Amino acid sequence: MTVAFYPPLEQLLPHRPPMILIDRLLEANEQEAICEVTITPESMFLEAAGVPAFVGIEYMAQSIAAHGSYQHYLVNESIAVGLLMGTRRLETVCQFFALGETLRIHVSHVWGTHELMRFRCTITAAITGALLQHAELHVFKPKTVQSYLEGVGHDHSRTHQRC
């Protein structure tokens, strides 16, 4: 990856504080990005033992968003909103991310070019490099989120059946 100027996350993510959960974009290229977050007393979702590890999936999702938005930023386009569809597997070696710990989130685009994409994601301890969590996340990036959301709520052409 090359060293470059990265704009503040407020310019890359559709979220607003306090819901911007990651701290910075460190590196990015067309295929991957690395972000960081330091667990502080101000961290969202902080409990006595730290931030619950399940929040890691949102750290990964926001890192994917930063990656995609940075690609748009490079060509002077507005950011595109994506929706986390889920993961087949989330593996974690801890229950909490500890207060004071800096996490490094690495996301790598592995499949898809348009609306549906898959990213391989890892969270490691920034100081030791120890693997804390990994997953493959599935993302849906509609052409326009607003028209997609309006269509979901108003599509009466589908037959609705009870399961």
Side-chain angles (χ1 to χ4, degrees), residues 94-158:
C94 60
Q95 291 184 324
F96 292 90
F97 300 124
L99 184 63
E101 186 171 31
T102 297
L103 309 176
R104 188 157 292 155
I105 306 109
H106 180 253
V107 298
S108 180
H109 178 228
V110 295
W111 179 84
T113 56
H114 298 292
E115 291 185 329
L116 295 174
M117 293 175 280
R118 184 174 63 218
F119 288 82
R120 186 171 296 119
C121 307
T122 60
I123 297 179
T124 58
I127 294 175
T128 67
L131 179 65
L132 302 175
Q133 199 169 69
H134 68 93
E136 283 197 0
L137 299 188
H138 304 267
V139 176
F140 175 59
K141 190 166 119 180
K143 289 181 175 89
T144 63
V145 172
Q146 190 61 35
S147 63
Y148 171 75
L149 293 175
E150 289 171 359
V152 167
H154 297 89
D155 187 358
H156 299 291
S157 64
R158 295 182 186 172

Side-chain angles (χ1 to χ4, degrees), residues 3-157:
V3 176
F5 165 77
Y6 299 106
L9 291 173
E10 290 82 6
Q11 292 179 23
L12 297 176
L13 299 179
H15 306 72
R16 293 294 157 249
M19 291 311 297
I20 295 177
L21 302 185
I22 58 176
D23 294 335
R24 61 198 147 273
L25 174 61
L26 294 178
E27 299 179 34
N29 64 31
E30 289 182 8
Q31 288 302 116
E32 56 191 354
I34 298 174
C35 294
E36 278 188 344
V37 60
T38 299
I39 308 302
T40 69
E42 292 77 36
S43 293
M44 289 290 291
F45 309 109
L46 182 68
E47 298 179 8
V51 173
F54 63 79
V55 176
I57 200 165
E58 182 63 19
Y59 295 157
M60 294 175 193
Q62 288 191 16
S63 297
I64 291 168
H67 169 265
S69 294
Y70 182 68
Q71 303 311 308
H72 288 277
Y73 171 85
L74 289 174
V75 294
N76 205 28
E77 293 178 353
S78 60
I79 65 170
V81 175
L83 305 170
L84 173 63
M85 299 304 290
T87 182
R88 287 181 144 177
R89 182 181 308 159
L90 171 67
E91 295 184 17
T92 187
V93 298
C94 60
Q95 291 184 324
F96 292 90
F97 300 124
L99 184 63
E101 186 171 31
T102 297
L103 309 176
R104 188 157 292 155
I105 306 109
H106 180 253
V107 298
S108 180
H109 178 228
V110 295
W111 179 84
T113 56
H114 298 292
E115 291 185 329
L116 295 174
M117 293 175 280
R118 184 174 63 218
F119 288 82
R120 186 171 296 119
C121 307
T122 60
I123 297 179
T124 58
I127 294 175
T128 67
L131 179 65
L132 302 175
Q133 199 169 69
H134 68 93
E136 283 197 0
L137 299 188
H138 304 267
V139 176
F140 175 59
K141 190 166 119 180
K143 289 181 175 89
T144 63
V145 172
Q146 190 61 35
S147 63
Y148 171 75
L149 293 175
E150 289 171 359
V152 167
H154 297 89
D155 187 358
H156 299 291
S157 64

